[in-house]
Each structure stands twice: as C-alpha cells, then as structure tokens.
Amino acid sequence: MDEQHVLTPRQESVGQLTLNRPRALNALTHAMVSAISDALAAWERDDRVRAVVISGAGERGLCAGGDIRAIYEDARAGGGASAEFWRDEYRLNAYIARYPKPYVAFMDGIVMGGGVGISAHGSVRIVTERSAVAMPETGIGLVPDVGGTYLLSRAPGELGTHLALTGAVVGAADALLCGLADHFVRAERWGALSGALAEGEGEGEEAVQDVVARYAGVAPEGRLAADRVWIDGCYAADTVEEIVDRLYGHGHPAAKEAAETILTRSPTALKATLASLRAARALPTLERVLEREYRASCAALGTADLVEGIRAQVIDKDRAPRWAPRELSGVTDAEVGRFLEVPVGGDLWGDRGAR
C-alpha cells in the first residue's frame, strides 16, 4: 500500500490531507483513495478535528487525475481492477460532498479529472492564480466522471458542455464562474491561510468561511464570461455534429478553435458525454449522477478508444489517436446507449449506502 502517498497529520484542530506523489502530479491510485476515505472517516468521529484541508505536495498541482497508466494496463488485460478503483473513487466523491465537517480544498496548480472529484465537491474550494482546472476525459475515450457531469451540467448556460466536450483548461476566474470553486487566494498566501485555519476559533463551515474570506481576493479576469456570446447558442444544439456545425458557422475565432479541438476527441466519447450531460441535468442528486458515470466508465473499458486514447496521450505521447470509429457519423445510437444503460457487476454503493 502506498501509505506514504497520502500524508494525514493533524495540525491543531485541522486534519491535513496531503497527496504525496509529486513526480506523478499526485495522480490517484486505488490505495490513495482508500487512505483518504479512511482518514476522513476517522476525523469525522474525532471531536478534536474541526475541519479537513486537502492539498498536493510539490509545486505543480493538487492532482492530475487517476493513475491512467494503471487503467491502460488493466483495460489491455481485460481485468476488473479499474471498475473496482472507480467504485471506491466515486464513493469517496459522494462522501466528500456530504462530509459533516468543513472540507477545504486547495486547488492550486493542475486540478484535472480525479483531482476535480476530490476537491470540487468540497464545502470550501480555493483556487489560485496558478490553477489549471479541467475534465479532459474525451481526449482519452472516457466520459467526464467523478461527478464531473453533475458539476458541469449545473454550470451557467452551456459553459459545462463546452468544457466537457473540448476538455478545455480553465483558470481561477472561470472555475469560479462555472461553480467549480468558491474563493480566489493568491498562492503565496496559502501558508498563512493554512496556519490561520488550524488556529481559527469557532466551529462549522461559517467559521471556516470567515477565515478564508480574510485572505481571499479578486481573481484575474477569465475568458468564459465574454465567450458566452457564442458558447450558449452553439452548444445548445441537440447533437455533437450540430454543435460542431454551429461553432464553425459562428464566425468567432474561438468558436472555430473549439470546433477543431472537439474533432480531435474520441467521437464515441463525445456523443456519450453529451448524452450524459443532458441526462445529468434531470437527475436530482450527485449520487444518482455517479451511478450513471460508473456505468459509462465501465462501458468505456470495453471500447478500443480508451486504450488508444491513453496510448496516444500518455504512453507513446504521439498525440495522434486512431479512434474507432474515426468520425462522429460512425457512432451509433446503440453504442451511446451502452454508456448510459449497460449493467455493471455489483452495485456502486453496496453496503456503503450514499443516498
């Protein structure tokens, strides 16, 4: 077990979770997910712990996502380790969202995929001038998971659809706009803020919010607010094909760039992502959305695109995936339906009911 990859000291009245794989951008392994869950459960019962803070070791970011090299090897071998990892990871995401004590996420640097799952469901979410937040799953043949379709489906207008299909990276202001974060704090002030949280008086989220507010400021201007002039209209279309057509036809250079980016992503994952986002809008709870995401992730294990996408982006790094099918027109409704309805082995919640 990678116990050293999650540090769990208690500083005064705060439980400190530090992801400690800096050379791997703190990518999550199954053992790390288990260690985080165990620490949270222990601190929930510990009256000395007033709040929890999660951050990443090193200078590059909180967490770049799950360990997709391990997923790649498992998918190639036809194993079941990835499904087990996702089951425990999604349970953790739900646990964080309903955690009874303030859960403070320091979303500094790279925060992508699984990194969003362990931060953006928290009650106090802090971004910095270095934050780079994204759900880039369509680029490796996956649908946004870890509650990503829940979060993005609830972003203003069609901003979430844009981020989900393109996998675009956003900074602090845009993360705040999309509801992925709550406060902007300059990175250089984090040490002082962390100390103040540990020494802070009072209990509960309001007391923690008051401490954070003393260190918070205004984020540098983002770009998504201005881009809504083309995003909301183009991404409101019913199909990915029509979205691409609208983007190309709009005339704004950024809209054309978005269309070109979308066409580099897995066609199957794109169509499954749009269907998942639209379905997530109608679901009332994070847990219900996670159930659908679990089905989608397990369905992806049976596609060629997942292995090919990881190969191109992470293993060989040639950035030239050979998707199957290559075109959006080749993706059938039946294939998309597999991502939404395919039964998976075992229930997501099991004896850890989260509803």
Side-chain angles (χ1 to χ4, degrees):
M1 149 116 182
D2 299 331
E3 290 186 11
Q4 73 275 18
H5 290 162
V6 179
L7 308 179
T8 59
R10 182 171 62 85
Q11 182 182 4
E12 302 292 342
S13 62
V14 171
Q16 301 277 354
L17 281 169
T18 303
L19 306 187
N20 191 36
R21 292 184 73 203
R23 286 191 292 182
L25 282 171
N26 299 318
L28 292 171
T29 64
H30 199 162
M32 291 170 70
V33 167
S34 298
I36 294 168
S37 297
D38 290 346
L40 290 176
W43 288 333
E44 181 179 353
R45 299 186 298 266
D46 190 339
D47 292 338
R48 299 171 299 174
V49 175
R50 182 177 56 87
V52 171
V53 172
I54 187 166
S55 60
E59 299 294 325
R60 300 169 67 190
L62 171 64
C63 175
D67 188 344
I68 59 175
R69 285 181 177 270
I71 294 171
Y72 172 80
E73 296 297 341
D74 183 55
R76 290 183 69 197
S82 297
E84 292 298 318
F85 166 66
W86 284 323
R87 180 181 286 124
D88 285 344
E89 184 182 23
Y90 300 172
R91 286 170 170 171
L92 173 61
N93 302 146
Y95 186 25
I96 289 169
R98 69 177 191 276
Y99 199 64
K101 298 180 180 182
Y103 181 99
V104 182
F106 184 51
M107 301 169 69
D108 184 40
I110 293 173
V111 185
M112 297 183 182
V116 173
I118 58 168
S119 59
H121 298 302
S123 54
V124 184
R125 305 163 304 172
I126 299 167
V127 284
T128 77
E129 73 279 7
R130 304 187 302 203
S131 293
V133 184
M135 295 297 295
E137 285 75 12
T138 58
I140 58 168
L142 273 174
V143 172
D145 63 341
V146 299
T149 61
Y150 178 86
L151 294 164
L152 295 177
S153 69
R154 285 152 174 80
E158 295 292 338
L159 293 178
T161 310
H162 169 63
L163 297 186
L165 296 183
T166 62
V169 179
V170 299
D174 290 332
L176 292 164
L177 173 63
C178 291
L180 302 174
D182 306 300
H183 303 279
F184 171 78
V185 175
R186 293 196 64 82
E188 64 188 16
R189 306 199 74 190
W190 173 243
L193 171 54
S194 181
L197 287 170
E199 298 170 2
E201 298 180 358
E203 295 186 2
E205 184 178 335
E206 184 176 351
V208 170
Q209 295 280 13
D210 287 345
V211 173
V212 174
R214 296 204 300 266
Y215 291 84
V218 178
E221 186 176 0
R223 58 178 292 181
L224 288 183
D227 283 350
R228 286 189 67 181
V229 298
W230 56 269
I231 285 175
D232 286 353
C234 293
Y235 286 95
D238 292 331
T239 66
V240 180
E241 290 95 330
E242 188 178 353
I243 287 171
V244 171
D245 287 344
R246 289 188 185 187
L247 289 168
Y248 272 124
H250 187 277
H252 196 292
K256 179 176 181 289
E257 179 183 347
E260 291 172 346
T261 297
I262 289 171
L263 292 178
T264 68
R265 306 315 192 202
S266 160
T268 302
L270 287 169
K271 288 199 170 185
T273 293
L274 184 62
S276 296
L277 279 171
R278 299 288 159 83
R281 286 179 177 172
L283 294 175
T285 65
L286 171 62
E287 288 82 4
R288 290 287 305 281
V289 175
L290 285 166
E291 290 170 5
R292 279 189 174 271
E293 291 181 350
Y294 185 57
R295 293 190 182 107
S297 295
C298 290
L301 284 173
T303 69
D305 278 4
L306 178 60
V307 170
E308 176 60 13
I310 298 175
R311 179 206 65 77
Q313 298 298 328
V314 177
I315 307 301
D316 296 337
K317 299 182 181 180
D318 59 24
R319 307 294 192 266
R322 297 179 290 274
W323 304 122
R326 289 181 175 272
E327 305 291 337
L328 288 165
S329 60
V331 182
T332 66
D333 291 342
E335 182 64 20
V336 174
R338 288 186 61 245
F339 282 77
L340 299 177
E341 304 296 343
V342 63
V344 297
D347 178 69
L348 175 57
W349 307 117
D351 59 2
R352 301 189 192 181
R355 304 176 209 214

